[in-house]
Amino acid sequence: MFDLFSFALKINGFPIEKAQRQLSDILAVSEENYTTYVEQKKREIVDFHLKNNKFYKDFIGEIDTFQWENIPVLKKSDFQIPLEKRLSIGYNKKTVYINSTSGSSGDPMVFAKDKFCHALIWTNIMRRFAWHGVDFNHSYQARFYGMPLDFKANKILRFKDFLSNRYRFNIFDLSASGIEKIIAKFKQKKFTYINGYTSSIVLVARHLKEKNLVLKNLCPSLKVCIVTSEMLFEDDKKLLEETLGVPIINEYGASELDVIAFENQIGVWTVNAETLFVEILDENNKPLPLGKEGRIVVTNLYNKAHPFIRYEVGDYGILDEKSTAKHPILKKLTGRTNDVAVLPSGKMAPGMTFYSITKKLFGDEGNVKEFTITQIQSDTFEIQYASEVALTTDEINRIEKVFTNFLEPNLKYIFTRKNLLQRNKNGKLKQFTSLVKNTP
C-alpha cells in the first residue's frame, strides 16, 4: 500500500529516510550511556548556534556556557524580532519549515525548523502514535484543530489534510446542529483515530451523552482518541472514554518544539528524550530534584535553523522520581506560568486550580457546556459560560460563596451567558486569563 504521508514529507524536501536512520541510532543508545549521549548533544547544539547564529550569540553575550546552568533561559518575548534575524547561517525562509504559535501564552511567535529536524520530529511522532495502533500512512484521522477562514488558505490546508490522510472538522461551530454534522461524518467515514483540542472533543462527548450515544458504535473502525494542546481533567477523560468508546491518550507538546510527552500503552506520560532535553527549573532557573514542581524548560537538540536552547515553554510540571535520562516521565502538568490570579490581599491563586473548582461547580448543574474565566481587575472576574438556560440567582450565589471560601471575601463576579464561546484564531479555548499586569 502506498505510504502517502511519508511521500508527502519527502516531496516537500524533508529527508524522512535519513531521519529514520538517525532515530534508530538514538534508540539504540543504551540506558547506561544515555546521559553521556545527551550531554554531547547539548554541547553540540549550543556550540553550533554560538558559531552560526548571531541572534543567539548576542543573547548569550560574555556568559560562560561551559556550565549548563549558566546558560540563560529563552522566553517567547526574546523572539519578538523578525524571523530572518533569528535564523542561523546557511538557512533562509525558503529552505526551512516555518510556522507560528497560537499566542495562548501572550506572545505569538513565528518560528523555524530545519528540514532534517522537522523530518526527525515527524519520524518520532509516528513511532509514538504506533504504540496505539495508529499508522500515519494508512490510518484515517478525525482532526479537531482550527482552520483558516480565508478561502485560499482553507483550500491549501484541506489539500494538506488529504495528503496526510485526515478529515478536519469545523470546531468553530460546536452548536448542537454543528455537532450533529460531525456525528453524521463519523457514520459515513471509517475513521481510525481522533486527534485534536481537548475542549472541542469534550463538547462532542457531552452531546453524545445527552443523546445516549457511543461514537464507536456509530463508527466501528475507531480505535483511539488522542487529545492535545489543552488540559485534560480526570472527569473529562472519563466522559470521553464513556461516550467515545475508545482509549483516551494524552499528548503534551509545543508546536515550536515537538511532542514533549506522550502517554504510552500503560498510561505513563513518557517524555520525549530522543529529540529534546526537558528540565524542571525553579524561579531562579536552577534545576529542581525529581518530584518537585517547577517551570518546564526545553532544549531542542537537533534544530540548527533556529535556537531553542533552555526555552521556557510557559507551563509548570513535575518529572516523576522514577525518571531516567533515557526514560523521563512527566508525573503531572500543573498549568501555565502566566495563569495566576493575584488578588487584592496579595494572595496568589493558580488559574487552573481556580478553573478546576469552577468546573466541578458547573458540572453539578449539567446545564453549562463550557466556560472561561478572565480576571479583569485584581478584585473582578468575568465568567463566560455557554448554556441553553441562564444560571439562576441561587446557583450564582452558591458559586460565589464557594469562591469566597477558596479565594477571599469582597471579590466581584460577572456571569455572562453565551450561546457559544469565542475561540482564538487557531480554535483553542483559553480557559483562564488574567489581564492584571502584576501577575508573575
Coordinates of all heavy atoms in Angstrom, one line a residue, residues 239-302:
L239 N -15.5 11.0 30.9 CA -16.6 11.3 29.9 C -16.2 10.9 28.5 O -17.0 10.2 27.8 CB -16.9 12.8 30.0 CG -17.9 13.3 28.9 CD1 -19.3 12.7 29.2 CD2 -17.9 14.8 28.9
L240 N -15.0 11.2 28.1 CA -14.6 10.8 26.7 C -14.5 9.3 26.6 O -15.0 8.8 25.5 CB -13.2 11.4 26.5 CG -13.1 12.9 26.3 CD1 -11.7 13.4 26.3 CD2 -13.9 13.4 25.1
E241 N -14.0 8.6 27.6 CA -13.9 7.1 27.5 C -15.3 6.5 27.4 O -15.6 5.6 26.6 CB -13.2 6.6 28.7 CG -11.7 6.8 28.7 CD -11.1 6.5 30.0 OE1 -11.8 6.3 31.1 OE2 -9.8 6.3 30.0
E242 N -16.3 7.1 28.1 CA -17.6 6.6 28.2 C -18.4 6.8 26.9 O -19.1 5.9 26.4 CB -18.4 7.2 29.3 CG -19.8 6.9 29.4 CD -20.6 7.7 30.5 OE1 -19.9 8.3 31.4 OE2 -21.8 7.9 30.3
T243 N -18.2 8.0 26.3 CA -19.0 8.4 25.1 C -18.4 8.1 23.8 O -19.0 7.9 22.8 CB -19.4 9.9 25.2 OG1 -18.2 10.6 25.2 CG2 -20.2 10.2 26.4
L244 N -17.0 8.0 23.8 CA -16.3 7.7 22.5 C -16.2 6.2 22.4 O -16.1 5.7 21.3 CB -15.0 8.4 22.4 CG -15.0 9.9 22.5 CD1 -13.6 10.5 22.3 CD2 -16.0 10.6 21.6
G245 N -16.0 5.5 23.5 CA -15.9 4.1 23.5 C -14.5 3.5 23.1 O -14.4 2.4 22.7
V246 N -13.5 4.4 23.2 CA -12.1 4.0 22.9 C -11.2 4.6 23.9 O -11.5 5.5 24.7 CB -11.7 4.6 21.5 CG1 -12.6 3.9 20.4 CG2 -11.8 6.1 21.4
P247 N -9.9 4.1 24.0 CA -9.0 4.6 25.0 C -8.7 6.1 24.6 O -8.6 6.5 23.5 CB -7.7 3.8 24.7 CG -8.2 2.5 24.1 CD -9.4 2.9 23.3
I248 N -8.4 6.9 25.7 CA -8.1 8.3 25.6 C -6.6 8.5 25.9 O -6.2 8.1 27.0 CB -9.0 9.2 26.5 CG1 -10.4 8.8 26.3 CG2 -8.7 10.6 26.3 CD1 -11.0 9.0 24.9
I249 N -5.8 9.0 25.0 CA -4.4 9.2 25.2 C -4.1 10.7 25.2 O -4.6 11.5 24.4 CB -3.6 8.6 24.0 CG1 -4.0 7.1 23.8 CG2 -2.1 8.7 24.2 CD1 -3.8 6.3 25.0
N250 N -3.3 11.1 26.2 CA -2.9 12.5 26.5 C -1.6 12.8 25.8 O -0.6 12.2 26.1 CB -2.9 12.7 28.0 CG -3.2 14.2 28.3 OD1 -3.2 15.0 27.4 ND2 -3.3 14.5 29.6
E251 N -1.6 13.8 25.0 CA -0.3 14.3 24.4 C -0.1 15.7 24.9 O -1.0 16.5 25.0 CB -0.5 14.3 22.8 CG 0.7 14.9 22.1 CD 0.3 15.2 20.6 OE1 -0.2 16.3 20.3 OE2 0.6 14.3 19.8
Y252 N 1.2 16.0 25.1 CA 1.6 17.3 25.5 C 2.8 17.8 24.7 O 3.8 17.1 24.6 CB 2.1 17.3 27.0 CG 2.8 18.6 27.5 CD1 2.2 19.9 27.2 CD2 4.0 18.5 28.1 CE1 2.9 21.0 27.6 CE2 4.7 19.7 28.5 CZ 4.1 20.9 28.3 OH 4.7 22.1 28.6
G253 N 2.6 18.9 24.0 CA 3.6 19.4 23.1 C 3.6 20.9 22.9 O 2.7 21.6 23.4
A254 N 4.5 21.3 22.1 CA 4.6 22.8 21.7 C 5.0 22.8 20.3 O 6.0 22.2 19.9 CB 5.6 23.5 22.6
S255 N 4.2 23.5 19.5 CA 4.4 23.5 18.0 C 5.8 23.9 17.6 O 6.4 23.4 16.6 CB 3.4 24.4 17.3 OG 3.4 25.7 17.8
E256 N 6.4 24.8 18.4 CA 7.7 25.3 18.1 C 8.8 24.3 18.4 O 10.0 24.5 18.0 CB 8.0 26.7 18.7 CG 8.0 26.6 20.3 CD 6.7 26.9 20.9 OE1 5.7 26.4 20.4 OE2 6.7 27.5 21.9
L257 N 8.5 23.3 19.2 CA 9.4 22.3 19.6 C 9.1 20.9 19.0 O 9.7 20.5 18.0 CB 9.5 22.2 21.1 CG 10.0 23.4 21.9 CD1 9.7 23.3 23.4 CD2 11.5 23.6 21.7
D258 N 8.2 20.2 19.6 CA 7.9 18.8 19.3 C 6.9 18.3 20.3 O 6.5 19.1 21.1 CB 9.2 18.0 19.4 CG 9.2 16.6 18.8 OD1 8.1 16.2 18.5 OD2 10.3 16.0 18.6
V259 N 6.5 17.1 20.2 CA 5.8 16.4 21.3 C 6.7 16.4 22.5 O 7.8 15.8 22.3 CB 5.3 15.0 20.9 CG1 4.7 14.3 22.1 CG2 4.2 15.2 19.8
I260 N 6.3 16.9 23.6 CA 7.1 16.9 24.8 C 6.9 15.6 25.6 O 7.8 15.0 26.2 CB 6.9 18.2 25.6 CG1 7.3 19.4 24.8 CG2 7.7 18.1 26.9 CD1 6.8 20.7 25.4
A261 N 5.7 15.2 25.7 CA 5.3 14.0 26.5 C 4.1 13.3 25.8 O 3.2 14.0 25.3 CB 5.1 14.3 27.9
F262 N 4.1 12.0 25.9 CA 3.0 11.2 25.2 C 2.7 10.0 26.0 O 3.7 9.3 26.4 CB 3.5 10.8 23.8 CG 2.4 10.4 22.9 CD1 1.7 11.3 22.2 CD2 2.2 9.1 22.7 CE1 0.7 10.9 21.3 CE2 1.2 8.6 21.8 CZ 0.5 9.6 21.1
E263 N 1.5 9.7 26.3 CA 1.1 8.5 27.0 C 1.4 7.3 26.3 O 1.1 7.1 25.1 CB -0.4 8.6 27.3 CG -0.8 9.0 28.7 CD -2.2 8.8 29.0 OE1 -3.1 9.7 28.6 OE2 -2.6 7.8 29.7
N264 N 2.0 6.3 27.0 CA 2.3 5.0 26.3 C 1.2 4.1 26.5 O 0.1 4.4 27.0 CB 3.7 4.5 26.8 CG 3.6 4.1 28.3 OD1 2.6 4.0 28.9 ND2 4.8 3.8 28.9
Q265 N 1.4 2.8 26.2 CA 0.4 1.8 26.2 C -0.2 1.5 27.6 O -1.3 0.9 27.8 CB 0.9 0.5 25.6 CG 1.4 0.6 24.2 CD 2.9 0.9 24.1 OE1 3.4 1.6 24.9 NE2 3.6 0.2 23.2
I266 N 0.6 1.8 28.7 CA 0.1 1.5 30.0 C -0.2 2.8 30.8 O -0.2 2.8 32.0 CB 1.2 0.7 30.8 CG1 2.5 1.4 30.9 CG2 1.3 -0.7 30.2 CD1 3.6 0.7 31.8
G267 N -0.4 3.9 30.1 CA -0.8 5.1 30.7 C 0.2 6.0 31.3 O -0.1 6.9 32.1
V268 N 1.5 5.7 31.0 CA 2.6 6.5 31.6 C 2.9 7.6 30.6 O 3.1 7.4 29.4 CB 3.9 5.6 31.8 CG1 5.0 6.5 32.3 CG2 3.6 4.6 32.9
W269 N 3.0 8.8 31.1 CA 3.3 10.0 30.3 C 4.8 10.1 30.0 O 5.5 10.7 30.7 CB 2.8 11.3 31.0 CG 2.1 12.2 30.1 CD1 1.8 12.1 28.8 CD2 1.4 13.4 30.5 NE1 1.1 13.2 28.4 CE2 0.8 14.0 29.4 CE3 1.3 14.1 31.8 CZ2 0.1 15.2 29.4 CZ3 0.6 15.3 31.8 CH2 0.0 15.8 30.7
T270 N 5.3 9.5 28.9 CA 6.7 9.4 28.7 C 7.2 10.7 28.0 O 6.6 11.1 27.0 CB 7.0 8.2 27.8 OG1 6.3 8.3 26.5 CG2 6.6 6.9 28.4
V271 N 8.2 11.2 28.5 CA 8.8 12.4 28.0 C 9.7 12.1 26.8 O 10.3 11.1 26.7 CB 9.7 13.1 29.1 CG1 10.5 14.3 28.5 CG2 8.8 13.6 30.2
N272 N 9.7 13.0 25.8 CA 10.5 12.8 24.6 C 11.9 13.1 24.9 O 12.3 14.3 25.0 CB 9.9 13.8 23.5 CG 10.8 13.8 22.3 OD1 11.8 13.1 22.1 ND2 10.5 14.7 21.3
A273 N 12.7 12.1 25.1 CA 14.2 12.3 25.4 C 15.0 12.0 24.1 O 16.2 11.9 24.2 CB 14.6 11.3 26.5
E274 N 14.3 11.7 23.0 CA 15.0 11.4 21.8 C 15.5 12.7 21.0 O 16.6 12.8 20.6 CB 14.1 10.6 20.8 CG 13.7 9.2 21.3 CD 12.6 9.3 22.3 OE1 11.6 9.9 22.1 OE2 12.7 8.6 23.4
T275 N 14.6 13.7 21.0 CA 14.9 14.9 20.3 C 15.0 16.1 21.2 O 15.4 17.2 20.7 CB 13.9 15.2 19.1 OG1 12.7 15.6 19.7 CG2 13.8 14.0 18.2
L276 N 14.6 16.0 22.4 CA 14.5 17.1 23.4 C 15.3 16.8 24.7 O 15.4 15.6 25.0 CB 13.1 17.4 23.7 CG 12.1 17.7 22.6 CD1 10.7 17.9 23.2 CD2 12.5 18.9 21.7
F277 N 15.7 17.8 25.4 CA 16.1 17.7 26.7 C 15.2 18.6 27.6 O 15.1 19.8 27.4 CB 17.6 18.2 26.9 CG 18.1 18.2 28.3 CD1 18.2 17.0 29.0 CD2 18.4 19.4 28.9 CE1 18.6 17.1 30.4 CE2 18.9 19.5 30.2 CZ 19.0 18.3 30.9
V278 N 14.5 18.0 28.5 CA 13.5 18.6 29.3 C 14.0 18.8 30.7 O 14.5 17.9 31.4 CB 12.2 17.8 29.3 CG1 11.1 18.5 30.2 CG2 11.6 17.7 27.9
E279 N 13.9 20.1 31.2 CA 14.3 20.4 32.6 C 13.1 21.0 33.4 O 12.2 21.6 32.8 CB 15.4 21.4 32.6 CG 16.6 21.1 31.9 CD 17.6 22.2 31.9 OE1 18.4 22.4 32.9 OE2 17.7 23.0 30.8
I280 N 13.1 20.8 34.7 CA 12.2 21.5 35.6 C 13.0 22.4 36.4 O 13.9 22.0 37.2 CB 11.4 20.5 36.5 CG1 10.7 19.4 35.6 CG2 10.4 21.2 37.4 CD1 9.6 19.9 34.8
L281 N 12.7 23.8 36.3 CA 13.5 24.8 37.0 C 12.7 25.5 38.0 O 11.5 25.7 37.9 CB 14.1 25.8 35.9 CG 14.9 25.2 34.8 CD1 15.5 26.4 33.9 CD2 16.0 24.3 35.2
D282 N 13.4 26.1 39.0 CA 12.8 27.0 40.0 C 12.8 28.4 39.4 O 13.2 28.6 38.3 CB 13.5 26.9 41.3 CG 14.9 27.4 41.3 OD1 15.3 28.1 40.4 OD2 15.7 27.1 42.3
E283 N 12.3 29.3 40.2 CA 12.2 30.7 39.8 C 13.5 31.4 39.5 O 13.6 32.4 38.9 CB 11.4 31.5 40.8 CG 9.9 31.0 40.9 CD 9.2 31.0 39.6 OE1 9.3 31.9 38.8 OE2 8.5 30.0 39.4
N284 N 14.6 30.8 40.0 CA 16.0 31.3 39.8 C 16.7 30.5 38.7 O 17.9 30.6 38.6 CB 16.8 31.2 41.1 CG 16.2 32.1 42.1 OD1 15.9 33.3 41.9 ND2 16.1 31.6 43.3
N285 N 16.0 29.8 37.9 CA 16.5 29.0 36.8 C 17.4 27.9 37.2 O 18.3 27.4 36.4 CB 17.2 29.9 35.7 CG 16.2 30.9 35.1 OD1 15.0 30.6 35.0 ND2 16.7 32.0 34.6
K286 N 17.2 27.4 38.4 CA 18.1 26.3 38.9 C 17.2 25.0 38.8 O 16.1 24.9 39.1 CB 18.5 26.5 40.3 CG 19.3 27.8 40.6 CD 20.6 27.7 39.8 CE 21.5 29.0 40.0 NZ 22.7 29.0 39.2
P287 N 17.9 23.9 38.3 CA 17.2 22.6 38.2 C 16.7 22.1 39.5 O 17.3 22.2 40.5 CB 18.2 21.7 37.6 CG 19.3 22.5 37.0 CD 19.3 23.8 37.8
L288 N 15.4 21.6 39.5 CA 14.8 21.0 40.7 C 15.0 19.5 40.7 O 15.0 18.9 39.7 CB 13.3 21.4 40.7 CG 13.0 22.9 41.1 CD1 11.6 23.2 40.7 CD2 13.2 23.2 42.5
P289 N 15.0 18.9 41.9 CA 15.0 17.5 42.0 C 13.8 16.8 41.4 O 12.7 17.5 41.3 CB 15.1 17.2 43.5 CG 15.4 18.5 44.2 CD 14.9 19.6 43.2
L290 N 13.9 15.6 41.0 CA 12.7 14.8 40.5 C 11.6 14.8 41.6 O 11.9 14.7 42.8 CB 13.1 13.4 40.2 CG 14.1 13.2 39.1 CD1 14.5 11.7 38.9 CD2 13.6 13.8 37.7
G291 N 10.4 15.0 41.1 CA 9.3 15.0 42.1 C 8.9 16.4 42.5 O 7.8 16.6 43.2
K292 N 9.7 17.5 42.2 CA 9.4 18.8 42.6 C 8.8 19.6 41.4 O 9.2 19.5 40.3 CB 10.6 19.6 43.0 CG 11.3 18.9 44.3 CD 10.4 19.1 45.5 CE 11.0 18.5 46.8 NZ 10.1 18.6 47.9
E293 N 7.8 20.4 41.7 CA 7.1 21.2 40.7 C 7.9 22.5 40.3 O 8.4 23.2 41.2 CB 5.7 21.6 41.2 CG 4.9 22.5 40.2 CD 3.6 22.9 40.8 OE1 3.1 22.3 41.7 OE2 3.1 23.9 40.2
G294 N 7.9 22.8 39.0 CA 8.6 24.0 38.6 C 8.3 24.3 37.1 O 7.4 23.7 36.5
R295 N 9.0 25.2 36.6 CA 8.8 25.7 35.2 C 9.4 24.7 34.2 O 10.6 24.2 34.4 CB 9.4 27.0 35.0 CG 8.7 28.1 35.7 CD 9.6 29.3 36.1 NE 10.4 29.8 35.0 CZ 11.7 29.9 35.0 NH1 12.4 29.5 36.0 NH2 12.3 30.4 33.9
I296 N 8.7 24.3 33.2 CA 9.2 23.4 32.2 C 10.0 24.2 31.1 O 9.5 25.1 30.5 CB 8.0 22.7 31.5 CG1 7.2 21.9 32.5 CG2 8.5 21.8 30.3 CD1 6.0 21.2 31.9
V297 N 11.3 23.8 31.0 CA 12.2 24.4 30.1 C 12.8 23.3 29.2 O 13.2 22.2 29.7 CB 13.3 25.1 30.9 CG1 14.4 25.6 30.0 CG2 12.7 26.3 31.7
V298 N 12.8 23.6 27.9 CA 13.1 22.5 26.9 C 14.2 23.0 25.9 O 14.2 24.1 25.5 CB 11.8 22.1 26.1 CG1 12.2 21.0 25.1 CG2 10.7 21.7 27.0
T299 N 15.1 22.1 25.6 CA 16.1 22.3 24.6 C 15.9 21.3 23.4 O 15.7 20.1 23.6 CB 17.5 22.0 25.1 OG1 17.8 23.0 26.2 CG2 18.6 22.2 24.0
N300 N 15.7 21.9 22.2 CA 15.7 21.1 21.0 C 17.1 20.7 20.6 O 17.9 21.6 20.2 CB 14.9 21.8 19.9 CG 14.6 20.9 18.7 OD1 15.5 20.1 18.3 ND2 13.4 21.0 18.2
L301 N 17.4 19.5 20.6 CA 18.8 19.0 20.4 C 19.2 19.0 18.9 O 20.4 18.8 18.6 CB 19.0 17.6 21.0 CG 18.7 17.5 22.5 CD1 18.8 16.1 23.0 CD2 19.8 18.3 23.3
Y302 N 18.2 19.2 18.0 CA 18.5 19.0 16.6 C 18.2 20.1 15.7 O 18.4 20.1 14.5 CB 17.8 17.7 16.1 CG 18.5 16.4 16.6 CD1 18.1 15.8 17.8 CD2 19.5 15.9 15.9 CE1 18.7 14.7 18.2 CE2 20.1 14.7 16.3 CZ 19.7 14.1 17.5 OH 20.3 13.0 18.0

